[in-house]
Amino acid sequence: MSLDISAVRAIATLARIELGEEELAPLAGELSNILNFVEQLSEVNTDGIEPMSSVADLGLPMRADLVTDGDIAEQILANAPEAAEGFFTVPKVVE
Amino acid sequence: MSELTHLTLAEARDRLVKGETSAVELTRAHIAQVEAKRHLNAFITETPERALAEAEASDARRRQGTAGAMDGLPIGVKDLFCTEGVRTTAASKILDGFVPPYESTVSGNLKKAGAISLGKLNLDEFAMGSSNKTSAFGPAINPWTRRSDPAAKLVPGGSSGGSAAAVAARMVLGATGTDTGGSIRQPAAFCGITGIKPTYGRCSRYGIVAFASSLDQAGPMARTVRDCAIMLGAMAGFDPKDSTSVNLKVPDFEAALTGDIRGLKVGIPREYRPDGLSAEISDVWEKGIAWLKDAGAEPVEINLPHTKYALPTYYIVAPAEASSNLARYDGLRFGQRVPGKSLDEMYAKSRAAGFGPEVRRRILIGTYVLSAGYYDAYYAKAQKVRRLIAEDFRKAFETVDVILTPTAPSPAFGLNENTDDPVTMWLNDVFTIPTSLAGLPGLSLPAGLSSDGLPLGLQLIGRPFDEETVFKVAGVMESAAGFDLSPEGV
Amino acid sequence: MAYLIEGETGAWEIVIGLEVHAQVISNAKLFSGAATTFGAEPNSQVSFVDAGFPGMLPVINEVCVEQAVRTGLGLKAKINLTSVFARKNYFYADLPQGYQISQYDKPIVGEGELILDLADGSTRTVGIERLHLEQDAGKSIHDMHPTKSFIDLNRSGVALMEIVSKPDLRSPEEAGLYLTKLRSILRYLGTCDGNMQEGSMRCDANVSVRPVGSTELRTRCEIKNVNSIRFVQQAIEYEARRHVEVYESGGEIRQETRLFDSGRGETRSMRSKEHAHDYRYFPDPDLLPLVIEQAFVDGIKAGLPELPDEKKARFMAEYGLNAYDAGVLVAEKTSAEFFETVAKGRDPKLACNWVMGDFFAALNASGKTIEEPPVTAANLGAMIDLITDGTLSGRLAKDVFALMVETGKAPAVLVEERGLKQVTDTGAIEAAIDAVLAANPDKVQQVRDGKTTLLGWFVGQVMKATQGKANPALVNELLAKKVQG
Ligand SMILES: [Mg+2]
Ligand SMILES: [Zn+2]
């Protein structure tokens, strides 16, 4: 599997990482190498094998429905690059 | 340099208990060493004042008889653990200026046990790397050098390279590391120290900057097996804030160091002896096998047939999870923002400026393997192979108690070597990644020196939640190896 | 009769599927301990987990799981004992983690059904495709600053149930009935308050059209986040007509997300969602599969309340109500309870008429709620007792009811105070009749000549003479005797 420049551009858009035009070709090469490397997995017969998304062999622990957190707006906003009137702010989003 | 920095963690603890030294004295001695070894760039953030204040409080506790298991012992914390009130960077520009208003469970547990943090240790950016070269704060440097070329700077390994360098250079008695594909074990091997990645679920992941959630696990790095056992005991434990943390009692790991491994079966996997494995690595492995035999254990050849596929599996699973885990670094609520005309432009510019090349590459690969049309071919396939790899281990552990392998295929390499091709760099983790995929405990300990005078490590792999056997066998090997060398100038 | 759009090329049928996001009633959020109450100060109900801070991890709220199972049982749906949380990855200002934790191919609730109560008293079953649990996003506010959007994360992480219908709905009216019924069930179950204004129930409508007789499924458009049932109906109607126009003018419909502009009554394309989404779903590695025990499900099942359909059936069987009346009364649990309190030990038909008639009218006119009604169920019941024992005529009862609304007093008190007791004394009524007959001999003659319709006029005169207090039955009876003489 090899990726061309337009594929790299599309992935970068999806990942929200701005790339300069000059970065596209080298990245296409690197990413294609990686894909070629991982493609050896196709040799492995995995018929009937369940995908393993966690090694932890337990059910999901649940917590009680209690309010134990929040009321820390100041701390939530303390690291914000930009905030106003208790809100985070961003460039205006037009719907 | 003080004699105090040459104590092991266990020795320092025993002296504190006997009143032969104080936390303040120990802390001062280590702070001095941190300053003396600054050229190693092991720390991203030093917190000496905080440390001294904590040391005084520790001495007070000791006088009151309320000292904890690690009270007064100076350590370092990998800068991937969020620390309340202390800048946390993940060695990335994107977290610029981030001061967490909360503490990770593991670093909090160490604090509760009385350990004194001297600061935050360098690492590969977001723990993605095997050399520490991807750090936005410059690489940490291995205190060891080649006999043949003492001037050449070597990597400490990664991603917990700052942790390994700091322990090896006696700046701290122990350090926290995290291991996703070998990030504790490979730097431990490169720097001639001991480190263990415990079973997935043994330590809480709460408050650790996530790289690949299904693999990330915290563990200790220190000079001896006993030191690691003491430190893991303080770090581990069930945490209701981490849904993958396991509700098991933490055993007394130190008590597992009985020295008696008679009758234990030690698996020697054939697949870890690939063509072209260096003779030095083979030799040290053979030595390890011999030590265990001498101690009454029985080496058994085993097969782990899917070993070869661990690396490609890992390089699908880990980037996929990372691409999602790192989506929160968007310049909105914390860290660095690069302004943009639109929200999307702000995201794209902030993330381009904030992430280094390796992190970007992994995010892009991870995004790709999860995207529509490719999920089944890559991600789902890798998750299936992952099960086969875990099954290999499960079957092997039906006949053996522990598995012995080399930790890394080479000793530490030069800062300017292995830079071109990411896949070549990834081969560093070829022996550690299978264990990570299977979630098993893996410990690396120094077993000897290469012909050029660099430490070589061996890895012991155990059954799930059987760190005790791993420690016990490691303790025996450590005595047999008699590795008490320290790097030049330390 | 099926709802069809008459186009130039023939009749078109609408195919509608609805996705409802229902906010789970719980104290704390789905994966964090922050509160869920509506209308708090910005970012005051936010934990570091909800704000997607580094190293923060989700831990699931047991009650949210219970509520999802309860709702699934209320929809007669299959409960999946193992379900999986997945990450839906996309970037947006109010999505702090960069992904929404949702359920993808393994939802907690599978197929179920919902019964529509049609206007003619008949019913129609609509399939439920699935119900899954997911996190809500925060809120972006675009009108507080000329060049910036403001972000409040109070809603971020609040538990939602996404309830997806099969594409079984065929008209805007059915869509409205579906939402009304779903809301009714959720409220009975206590799993969602159904408040569309506050956003605790939001609806996305998937709309397509096809020529009558065709079974194909054509390209659908999704109209997002419509916030009232009326608007959902308007949006569907507009969208379906747009599709028909496009097809009939030779065009094609593009699959897209659209917004309903309630001011213009139109849908329009959402430009911000233009570029193709690729959500890159994968199982959330921070959360293990959610495994629940059959006993957990059974426990919830045992505690389920009587639901609207069952209650309606019982009202028809037990009280002899017709389907329409029963349907109206059970729509809200509180109105059903009100009715049952009124009807207890009384004539159910009479109780039904009074509740559905004067009482509902008074409720609407007063702007009060059935929890704090203009007339209590006890007072209305007592008034019906006064009708039954002959103290009040129907006509007097209407006056008493109006006074009850006005004063809040018990009917017996009002009857006493205002002297509204019905006259059942035959002597007094006969006297009144005699006076009326004596004053109108010509009309008496006309009745005797066969113009019996005039009898009603005589009744009215007698009632007038007795200020409406005469028992109308007695008046009728005595009048008939006397005129026929
Ligand atoms: Mg949806
Ligand atoms: Zn949804």
Side-chain angles (χ1 to χ4, degrees), chain B residues 149-215:
Chain B
D149 183 8
K153 288 181 177 171
L154 304 182
V155 302
S159 66
S160 311
S163 302
V167 171
R170 310 293 190 260
M171 298 153 95
V172 290
L173 293 169
T176 66
T178 63
D179 190 316
T180 304
S183 282
I184 288 175
R185 293 160 286 164
Q186 182 254 19
F190 277 19
C191 291
I193 65 164
T194 302
I196 179 169
K197 177 197 93 72
T199 314
Y200 184 84
R202 181 65 96 179
C203 287
S204 168
R205 294 184 295 113
Y206 177 85
I208 301 174
V209 174
F211 162 17
S213 311
S214 76
L215 297 157

Side-chain angles (χ1 to χ4, degrees), chain A residues 17-66:
Chain A
I17 295 177
E18 186 181 75
L19 293 177
E21 281 301 310
E22 73 290 350
E23 293 177 277
L24 294 173
L27 257 173
E30 287 171 28
L31 298 182
S32 298
N33 276 350
I34 293 169
L35 290 174
N36 285 331
F37 171 69
V38 300
E39 235 133 68
Q40 54 179 301
L41 291 190
S42 57
E43 299 164 23
V44 186
N45 181 352
T46 50
D47 295 350
I49 306 293
E50 267 294 296
M52 181 183 206
S53 42
S54 178
V55 296
D57 193 14
L58 18 116
L60 186 61
M62 301 202 233
R63 48 168 243 282
D65 181 31
L66 299 172

